[in-house]
């Protein structure tokens, strides 16, 4: 996190940042019990646990993204270590299904900005936020602008959008 500039003391609490360390299964009831089986099945249906029983976000910084009504609409995961991963393992993860919610929407609404910086990923937006750019949000990758983003831009009356995507082919 320090290498990415995500070191502001308020970032963890503000964005409810966590870390998936492969211990979720230990904290759930045993799969052979009714309660444990029900909870595991629910987490699997949401995408937190794979059919294999492994955590989807293992080894990732985890950031919940909230909808306008305060519900978790999406979860972003960013692998902490890029070396040692199996070939083809993505470093940026989301829950399966359509994206919902906007990163930092509450902060943007509270500040009443009319200018918005849009990053390609949540980790990029967190870096900018920690370095003083509080009018920042993230798309869900280069093709991840959603109707929720459109609605927030309209609600805020944004007059200028600055796009801060990666300097690579995709960005």
């Amino acid at each position: 996190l320090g290498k990415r500039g995500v070191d502001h003391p308020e970032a963890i609490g503000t964005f409810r940042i966590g870390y998936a360390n492969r211990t979720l299964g230990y904290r759930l009831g045993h799969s052979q019990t009714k309660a444990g089986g029900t909870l595991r099945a629910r987490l699997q249906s949401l995408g937190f646990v794979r059919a294999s029983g492994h955590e989807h976000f293992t080894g990732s910084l985890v950031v919940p993204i909230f909808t306008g009504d305060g519900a978790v609409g999406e979860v972003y995961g960013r692998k902490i270590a890029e070396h040692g991963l199996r070939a083809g393992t993505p470093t940026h993860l989301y829950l399966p299904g359509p994206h919902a919610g906007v990163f930092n929407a509450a902060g943007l609404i509270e500040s009443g900005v009319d200018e918005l910086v849009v990053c390609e990923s949540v980790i990029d937006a967190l870096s900018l936020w920690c370095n003083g750019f509080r009018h920042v949000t993230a798309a869900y990758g280069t093709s991840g602008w959603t109707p929720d983003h459109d609605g927030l831009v309209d609600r805020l009356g944004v007059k200028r959008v600055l796009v801060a995507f990666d300097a690579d082919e995709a960005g």
Side-chain angles (χ1 to χ4, degrees):
L1 294 177
K3 286 172 34 178
R4 295 298 300 252
V6 180
D7 55 3
H8 192 284
E10 295 176 13
I12 290 174
T14 299
F15 297 107
R16 301 181 189 177
I17 298 171
Y19 178 69
N21 63 358
R22 271 185 54 187
T23 63
L24 178 62
Y26 301 132
R27 299 181 191 324
L28 304 174
H30 194 279
S31 61
Q32 298 301 315
T33 67
K34 183 176 180 179
T38 300
L39 185 54
R40 288 171 189 273
R42 178 72 175 131
L43 289 172
Q44 187 175 343
S45 73
L46 292 170
F48 285 97
V49 176
R50 296 183 179 146
S52 65
H54 294 98
E55 292 179 44
H56 179 63
F57 292 107
T58 294
S60 300
L61 170 89
V62 181
V63 182
I65 300 170
F66 298 92
T67 61
D69 62 3
V72 174
E74 179 63 88
V75 176
Y76 167 79
R78 175 63 163 89
K79 294 290 187 187
I80 295 294
E82 292 184 30
H83 61 281
L85 296 175
R86 287 190 310 250
T89 300
T91 55
H92 300 270
L93 303 167
Y94 297 97
L95 289 174
H99 301 297
V102 176
F103 173 76
N104 193 29
L108 296 168
I109 292 166
E110 186 177 298
S111 65
V113 298
D114 66 353
E115 178 179 89
L116 185 62
V117 178
V118 179
C119 293
E120 189 173 338
S121 73
V122 171
I123 193 75
D124 296 335
L126 275 169
S127 294
L128 289 179
W129 187 93
C130 288
N131 285 281
F133 295 89
R134 300 302 168 91
H135 59 298
V136 65
T137 192
Y140 300 109
T142 57
S143 301
W145 191 260
T146 69
D148 289 348
H149 289 96
D150 284 337
L152 184 63
V153 166
D154 289 345
R155 178 177 175 185
L156 295 173
V158 171
K159 294 179 177 49
R160 182 171 143 166
V161 175
L162 305 169
V163 179
F165 280 15
D166 296 344
D168 59 13
E169 187 176 327

